[in-house]
Structures are given as structure tokens and as C-alpha cells.
Amino acid sequence: MILISNSGIADDLNKNDNTVIQERIELNGVDWQVINDGVMGGLSLGSTKFLDSTIVFSGDISIENNGGFSSVYRPVLGLSTQFDSIGLQVLGDGNLYQVRIRSQIEGYSLTYKVDFYASKNIEQYLTFKLSDFQASFRGRLIPGAPELKPENITHVGFLVTSKQPTSFALTVKGITFYLSSSLNE
């Protein structure tokens, strides 16, 4: 398994003796890139902070100048073709988020997303099949897009959006790509 984690989900998955591949990528602040709605004229501000082996993605959403989102991504390369799921360990703030995966297919970049509600002050372990992700472009779904395959994944990240001004803070404690059937053996 390729793990982007420092604890929690990764530790639980490490207990499985059927793990074929394991590679740990630290959750540090160096490789995370924030993209705010300023790319389209908005005024939202998001940032990341490395704190106690976690990444805190936080800021303020503004709807001024047609704004309303903030996102953060991290490169992920070399995933096994066997992976079919992603697990998240997060501490939320009550906002709706998207886990987003960028994929490179035949020279084109596509983004796939799944929505999740980050319960306020509750640590959550969330899992999604890669087949649950839907291709999107600027918030619109892309019907007929190619299936998300692990070998095409280049980045993983999060997006928060709102139609009203709001503050946000999502603590990410772990991101794990894995083969779901290996957890049940």
C-alpha cells in the first residue's frame, strides 16, 4: 500500500499481513499547494499548516467577486494498479468537503471528486472506492469520462466551497490508498 499518513488509518491497515506493497509519504507542509478562487477573481483565502504530524487546511471562504472555494493538493505518484480504494482520517469542522484526485490520461488532466461531510470536532475514518469518484471540471460533472485508475493518479487533495461566507478548518491525519479485498482476508 502507498500510505500518506503518520498514524491512524495507516496503523490499522499495517496490521493486515496481506499488504502487498507499502510506501509511506509523510504528511508535511512542503508538497501541498493551495489554490484559492483568486484564480477566477475571488477573494477566499486558504492555507495549510503542518501541526503534530497532521496537515491543517484552513481559511475563509468569500463569495465576493464570484468567489466561493479553496482547495489544496499534494503530488502522489507511482500507485499500484491494484488499488481500488482510498481511506481518509480527518477531524472536521461541520463543513462539506470534496476529496479530489487529479489524473493524467493521454496527456490530459482530469479531476475526480467525492463529497463528504466533515463532522464538527469528531475524528472520522472515511473510505471511498475509486469507482465512487466522478470526473468534474469547474464544478460540473463530465459524463462519459474515463474511469479513474490508480496508475493515472498524479495528485490528491481537498476542496471546500460555499455559497455564503464561512470559515473552515479540516485536519487531515491520514490518506491511504489500498486494495479493499486485502482488508477482508
Side-chain angles (χ1 to χ4, degrees):
M1 270 170 228
I2 291 191
L3 304 174
I4 302 176
S5 179
N6 292 332
S7 64
I9 271 182
D11 296 338
D12 292 341
L13 293 175
N14 286 336
K15 294 175 187 169
N16 184 338
D17 294 331
N18 297 320
T19 301
V20 178
I21 303 167
Q22 181 170 310
E23 181 180 332
R24 184 173 286 243
I25 301 171
E26 294 297 319
L27 276 177
N28 59 37
V30 176
D31 293 332
W32 292 89
Q33 178 187 10
V34 174
I35 300 173
N36 294 311
D37 55 17
V39 298
M40 298 166 47
L43 300 173
S44 298
L45 294 174
S47 64
T48 59
K49 181 167 53 168
F50 185 61
L51 182 66
D52 297 328
S53 301
T54 64
I55 288 294
V56 179
F57 171 44
S58 63
D60 295 297
I61 297 297
S62 169
I63 57 172
E64 306 265 338
N65 293 346
N66 297 314
F69 78 87
S70 183
S71 64
V72 62
Y73 289 93
R74 177 196 166 72
V76 177
L77 300 172
L79 292 176
S80 167
T81 59
Q82 298 177 45
F83 299 143
D84 65 1
S85 299
I86 184 171
L88 306 176
Q89 181 182 1
V90 297
L91 178 65
D93 58 2
N95 284 312
L96 182 67
Y97 288 86
Q98 295 173 3
V99 58
R100 297 172 65 87
I101 294 177
R102 286 189 191 158
S103 182
Q104 194 72 24
I105 302 171
E106 297 179 12
Y108 294 96
S109 182
L110 284 175
T111 299
Y112 294 79
K113 67 177 184 170
V114 169
D115 294 338
F116 69 94
Y117 178 75
S119 298
K120 189 171 185 169
N121 299 324
I122 297 175
E123 190 166 319
Q124 295 174 277
Y125 298 89
L126 308 167
T127 59
F128 303 100
K129 292 274 200 184
L130 294 184
S131 59
D132 294 335
F133 284 77
Q134 296 181 298
S136 69
F137 180 72
R138 293 188 179 166
R140 293 186 176 95
L141 296 181
I142 303 172
E147 174 184 341
L148 176 60
K149 294 185 179 179
E151 62 268 26
N152 296 329
I153 294 172
T154 62
H155 293 78
V156 63
F158 300 92
L159 179 135
V160 60
T161 185
S162 180
K163 296 195 184 299
Q164 54 189 324
T166 190
S167 295
F168 67 91
L170 180 70
T171 301
V172 180
K173 295 185 173 191
I175 303 171
T176 308
F177 289 93
Y178 60 93
L179 177 62
S180 61
S181 63
S182 68
L183 297 179
N184 300 322
E185 295 175 359

